[in-house]
Amino acid sequence: MEQLSFFAVPSPCIGVCQSDSRGYCVGCLRSRDERFNWMSYSELRKQDVIRLCLQRKRRRQYAIHKAKQQEQQTQQTSHTPQLDFDAQPISDSSDVDLTDFSLDE
């Protein structure tokens, strides 16, 4: 049974009508079918589409957040060199005795 609504559900369109790689509008996050059939949808279906759009927006924001975290983590690891304290020290050239090497051989 459809719930009564006192007000018409307005279109979520914000005037940015471009599709992303998945086919959703960049502005309102509706699919192509949801945009083209909006006027023929019942009020209940329109509310459902708006709920779906909000879920898509949250997922997109979460993906952007995770990408930024990953980028920051990569930048931190690239700026912090890993020091190997177990490695043998590199000897200074003044420590090498050059008398042991002969050029005559």
Side-chain angles (χ1 to χ4, degrees):
M1 183 162 106
E2 191 171 322
Q3 182 179 1
L4 294 176
S5 61
F6 296 105
F7 302 102
V9 178
S11 170
C13 180
I14 60 170
V16 181
C17 300
Q18 296 176 354
S19 293
D20 64 7
S21 62
R22 300 185 75 191
Y24 294 109
C25 177
V26 174
C28 65
L29 296 172
R30 289 183 293 172
S31 70
R32 179 184 171 147
D33 288 338
E34 291 167 347
R35 291 190 314 265
F36 289 149
N37 297 319
W38 181 260
M39 297 306 288
S40 64
Y41 284 161
S42 68
E43 298 300 307
L44 184 62
R45 178 69 179 134
K46 289 178 182 181
Q47 290 173 355
D48 190 43
V49 168
I50 290 177
R51 181 186 55 80
L52 291 171
C53 291
L54 290 173
Q55 287 177 347
R56 293 172 190 147
K57 182 178 179 179
R58 287 186 200 117
R59 272 190 242 122
R60 181 173 49 167
Q61 288 173 337
Y62 181 72
I64 291 169
H65 174 72
K66 290 300 276 185
K68 284 181 182 179
Q69 278 184 336
Q70 183 69 26
E71 182 181 338
Q72 288 175 349
Q73 185 178 11
T74 343
Q75 287 178 353
Q76 287 175 353
T77 55
S78 67
H79 285 87
T80 310
Q82 297 294 325
L83 300 177
D84 187 8
F85 293 109
D86 295 329
Q88 296 295 324
I90 300 174
S91 63
D92 191 5
S93 63
S94 62
D95 295 342
V96 178
D97 185 12
L98 297 176
T99 58
D100 293 340
F101 299 103
S102 170
L103 296 176
D104 296 334
E105 296 179 21

